[in-house]
């Protein structure tokens, strides 16, 4: 069965610039994300450059510019950065309390920076509030970004980095309402004020990111910071969202699939709620950025600490990823960064490895598609399609199509991301910008026989992009989307 739908974007309704930050990543010392996924070591038989897996370098370089948040996650609040610098053979072996096993500290600050350089990424460090101190985080910041005549800067020079590393993004803790110390909002607010008093005074040009959570936490945190006149120094608030916790990768029917797709819409509510609270407290001249620095599907039945949070990845997850990126793109007025959890081998990853084997997940290809939006402005986008017959958590009907649109600054190029979220029906979709003519178009499609279609070591290209035919139609463009498929189309605008 096939239906028809339209996507209309308003070239005069520019929401905000889409930056590399909007489609970014999170890596943690957890399972096989860092060790094996990224770091195999220079002596490994697995092809690598300076210890970093070659497949990972090439795949992440191709996906485009992005931020990488490191070293956690829960791991961050008991990570002591000094353990991870200097002679690798003298680094201490420490316990990974949350995710199990021994941390070799072989991958530390310098290896992280080297990894970022190799893939043209922007580093984001998450500091330790749970078991650390303001002094420890100040020292880390000075070590990385300092340029003064200081012993700690000499130490960085001795470790091979003459120039400051210029790390812009620094998180003040991670989930301090949970694994980061089980604090109450008032307790975290006091910690945050304490840390920021010193970190901000160092004047090293960084953006400090506070830990947000649900509405009650965010409200109380902002109230505490506003009362203490700390709000002007709050540059960004981070929130996390994992969904579909009880759902399995290969065991569902059509109606469960549609329910699952709907769950991603909780992100709209999270963003609207945080946005509303921020508006109550912030100075409109200095708006606070909202960062969703952990999000994605988590199959709790399979992705457990014992399995290193590994879970199966399928085309269904790519549909959820595209839906989520559309939601973030539509809120580029408030959302300044998002980081999927986690890039390699953990949760909704982009790359999987098993020993020498490595392959790309369907979610990876979504990120390749969305790089077309980067550098453009997000446009208000109206979708007119059938509903999936399900409602979001707050009772809104969920449409068959998800879409986002972006326009180049000079208005000459447009990109449409369009996802058919239906389990079994295809759709003919017409794309238009009112009073404009679209031409010179090309499009790529990510599709598969089933929503459960997946890639593996033995079949790495079961779900891989192909060219999609685009038809011109009186200044508009038409594409045919099979069920559970994602398209990215770019076109000239006159
Ligand atoms: O991504 C896995 C874990 O989920 C992170 O360590 C933590 O921040 C979150 O609860």
């Amino acid at each position: 069965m096939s239906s028809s739908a339209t996507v209309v974007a308003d070239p005069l309704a520019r929401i905000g610039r889409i930056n590399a930050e909007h489609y970014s990543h999170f890596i943690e010392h957890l399972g096989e994300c860092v060790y094996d996924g990224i770091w195999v070591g220079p002596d490994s038989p697995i092809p690598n450059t300076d210890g970093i897996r070659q497949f990972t370098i090439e795949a992440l370089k191709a996906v485009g510019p992005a931020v990488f948040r490191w070293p956690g996650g829960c791991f961050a609040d008991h990570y002591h950065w000094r353990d991870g610098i200097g002679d690798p053979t003298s680094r201490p072996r420490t316990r990974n309390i949350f995710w199990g096993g021994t941390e070799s500290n072989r991958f530390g600050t310098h290896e992280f920076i080297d990894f970022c350089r190799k893939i043209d990424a922007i580093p984001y460090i998450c500091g330790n509030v749970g078991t650390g101190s303001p002094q420890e985080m100040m020292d880390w910041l000075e070590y990385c970004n300092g340029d003064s005549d200081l012993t700690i800067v000499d130490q960085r020079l001795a470790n091979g980095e003459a120039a400051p590393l210029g790390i812009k993004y620094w998180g003040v803790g991670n989930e301090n309402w949970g694994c980061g110390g089980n604090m109450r909002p008032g307790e975290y607010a006091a910690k945050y004020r304490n840390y920021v008093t010193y970190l901000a005074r160092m004047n090293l040009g960084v953006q400090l990111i506070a830990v947000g959570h649900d509405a009650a936490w965010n409200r109380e945190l902002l109230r505490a910071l506003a009362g203490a006149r700390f709000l002007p120094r709050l540059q960004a608030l981070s929130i996390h969202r994992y969904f579909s916790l009880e759902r399995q990768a290969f065991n569902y029917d059509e109606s469960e699939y549609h329910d699952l797709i709907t769950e991603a819409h909780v992100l709209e509510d999270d963003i609207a709620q945080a946005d509303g609270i921020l508006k109550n407290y912030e100075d409109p001249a200095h708006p606070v950025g909202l960062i969703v620095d952990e999000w994605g599907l988590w199959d709790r039945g399979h992705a457990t600490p014992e399995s290193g949070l590994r879970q199966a990845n399928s085309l269904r997850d790519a549909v959820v990823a595209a839906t989520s990126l559309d939601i973030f793109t539509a809120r580029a007025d408030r959302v300044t960064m998002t980081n999927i959890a986690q890039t390699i081998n953990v949760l909704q990853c982009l790359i999987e490895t098993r020993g020498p084997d490595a392959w790309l997940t369907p979610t990876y290809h979504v990120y390749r598609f969305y790089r077309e939006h980067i550098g453009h402005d997000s446009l208000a986008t109206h979708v007119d399609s059938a509903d999936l017959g399900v409602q979001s958590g707050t009772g809104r009907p969920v449409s068959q199509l998800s879409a986002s649109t972006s326009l180049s600054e000079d208005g000459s190029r447009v990109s449409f991301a369009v996802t058919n979220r239906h389990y079994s029906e295809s759709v003919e979709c017409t794309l238009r910008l009112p009073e404009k003519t679209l031409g010179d178009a090309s499009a790529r499609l990510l599709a598969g026989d089933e929503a459960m279609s997946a890639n593996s070591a033995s079949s790495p290209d079961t779900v891989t992009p192909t060219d999609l035919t685009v038809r011109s139609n009186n200044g508009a463009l038409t594409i045919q989307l099979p069920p559970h498929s994602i398209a990215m189309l770019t076109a000239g605008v006159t």
Side-chain angles (χ1 to χ4, degrees):
M1 222 176 122
S2 181
S3 57
S4 59
T6 55
V7 175
V8 181
D10 184 349
L12 299 177
R14 293 181 189 247
I15 294 169
R17 181 61 47 90
I18 305 165
N19 298 309
E21 280 82 347
H22 282 104
Y23 309 133
S24 281
H25 307 277
F26 165 44
I27 54 171
E28 179 168 14
H29 290 237
L30 192 178
E32 293 179 316
C33 182
V34 167
Y35 297 109
D36 207 54
I38 295 171
W39 181 262
V40 292
D43 302 327
S44 171
I46 295 171
N48 70 85
T49 306
D50 305 326
I52 314 252
R53 192 189 272 264
Q54 199 60 32
F55 183 92
T56 301
I57 295 175
E58 279 158 28
L60 293 178
K61 235 181 144 155
V63 92
V67 173
F68 279 74
R69 175 177 183 252
W70 170 85
C74 297
F75 181 79
D77 277 291
H78 73 96
Y79 178 65
H80 299 285
W81 68 273
R82 283 189 168 88
D83 293 344
I85 59 165
D87 177 3
T89 60
S90 328
R91 296 186 193 172
R93 292 181 312 285
T94 50
R95 190 205 285 242
N96 189 329
I97 296 214
F98 290 100
W99 309 117
T102 302
E103 168 57 49
S104 67
N105 283 299
R106 185 61 188 84
F107 189 90
T109 303
H110 290 272
E111 289 78 15
F112 172 57
I113 292 301
D114 186 41
F115 162 68
C116 289
R117 282 194 188 126
K118 285 185 164 55
I119 58 170
D120 301 327
I122 305 161
Y124 165 4
I125 283 184
C126 184
N128 179 345
V129 171
T131 64
S133 67
Q135 183 66 55
E136 185 182 9
M137 194 161 164
M138 285 168 72
D139 289 348
W140 200 0
L141 174 55
E142 191 78 79
Y143 180 85
C144 291
N145 287 8
D147 200 13
S148 314
D149 180 21
L150 298 171
T151 307
I152 198 163
V153 174
D154 289 348
Q155 213 182 338
R156 186 191 70 224
L157 263 60
N159 286 329
E161 289 289 350
L165 304 177
I167 300 174
K168 178 175 171 193
Y169 296 112
W170 291 78
V172 183
N174 167 74
E175 292 192 1
N176 300 94
W177 41 266
C179 63
N182 280 308
M183 299 176 199
R184 297 194 180 86
E187 290 169 325
Y188 175 73
K191 286 268 189 190
Y192 179 83
R193 286 201 301 265
N194 186 213
Y195 271 66
V196 169
T197 300
Y198 302 104
L199 293 169
R201 220 178 155 76
M202 292 171 74
N203 288 326
L204 287 173
V206 299
Q207 184 168 122
L208 298 171
I209 298 157
V211 168
H213 184 32
D214 55 17
W217 170 283
N218 294 344
R219 207 173 293 117
E220 206 171 324
L221 173 64
L222 291 172
R223 197 182 295 131
L225 298 183
R229 295 179 191 276
F230 263 78
L231 213 51
R233 292 199 208 148
L234 179 65
Q235 288 141 330
L237 182 73
S238 92
I239 56 172
H240 294 172
R241 172 60 74 178
Y242 291 100
F243 28 75
S244 303
L245 305 180
E246 306 308 329
R247 296 178 195 279
Q248 296 182 17
F250 299 122
N251 185 14
Y252 53 84
D253 61 17
E254 176 158 343
S255 107
E256 285 171 304
Y257 164 89
H258 286 151
D259 284 347
L260 182 144
I261 299 298
T262 304
E263 282 187 43
H265 282 268
V266 71
L267 287 166
E268 285 175 336
D269 305 325
D270 292 341
I271 295 166
Q273 201 168 59
D275 177 49
I277 294 169
L278 286 169
K279 280 202 177 96
N280 267 325
Y281 290 97
E282 71 192 354
D283 170 359
H286 298 102
V288 178
L290 183 65
I291 293 182
V292 189
D293 54 16
E294 287 185 31
W295 69 271
L297 285 164
W298 189 331
D299 171 1
R300 291 246 196 228
H302 293 89
T304 59
E306 295 68 42
S307 72
L309 300 199
R310 274 225 189 218
Q311 64 188 28
N313 290 278
S314 67
L315 182 55
R316 175 200 71 178
D317 308 356
V319 171
V320 172
T323 298
S324 306
L325 296 188
D326 290 340
I327 291 169
F328 299 142
T329 306
R331 290 308 315 263
D333 57 320
R334 174 62 80 183
V335 175
T336 51
M337 188 195 301
T338 76
N339 309 70
I340 192 167
Q342 302 188 7
T343 315
I344 309 172
N345 291 331
V346 169
L347 300 176
Q348 194 175 350
C349 54
L350 283 74
I351 300 171
E352 286 198 70
T353 67
R354 287 266 183 212
D357 294 326
W359 62 99
L360 307 172
T361 68
T363 295
Y364 172 89
H365 296 295
V366 172
Y367 275 78
R368 270 213 78 160
F369 280 7
Y370 278 70
R371 68 178 289 179
E372 297 291 348
H373 279 331
I374 296 175
H376 284 189
D377 291 329
S378 169
L379 294 185
T381 302
H382 179 71
V383 170
D384 187 4
S385 77
D387 289 338
L388 286 180
V390 284
Q391 294 189 336
S392 73
T394 47
R396 288 186 310 279
V398 174
S399 57
Q400 176 173 353
L401 281 196
S402 174
S404 56
T405 315
S406 70
L407 191 64
S408 61
E409 191 171 358
D410 65 2
S412 67
R413 296 287 310 169
V414 67
S415 301
F416 289 94
V418 190
T419 299
N420 176 10
R421 304 187 283 186
H422 205 283
Y423 189 70
S424 51
E425 289 179 14
S426 58
V427 59
E428 183 177 78
C429 182
T430 301
L431 314 169
R432 74 172 99 243
L433 298 187
E435 295 171 26
K436 300 283 182 191
T437 299
L438 305 182
D440 180 25
S442 64
R444 301 277 284 162
L445 177 74
L446 190 70
D449 293 343
E450 301 174 89
M452 293 176 201
S453 296
N455 295 335
S456 64
S458 57
S459 184
D461 292 325
T462 300
V463 184
T464 199
T466 52
D467 286 337
L468 177 66
T469 304
V470 183
R471 284 181 287 122
S472 286
N473 172 4
N474 285 329
L477 301 169
T478 301
I479 51 177
Q480 186 76 27
L481 294 179
H484 43 74
S485 71
I486 302 137
M488 177 56 91
L489 179 149
T490 61
V493 182
T494 48

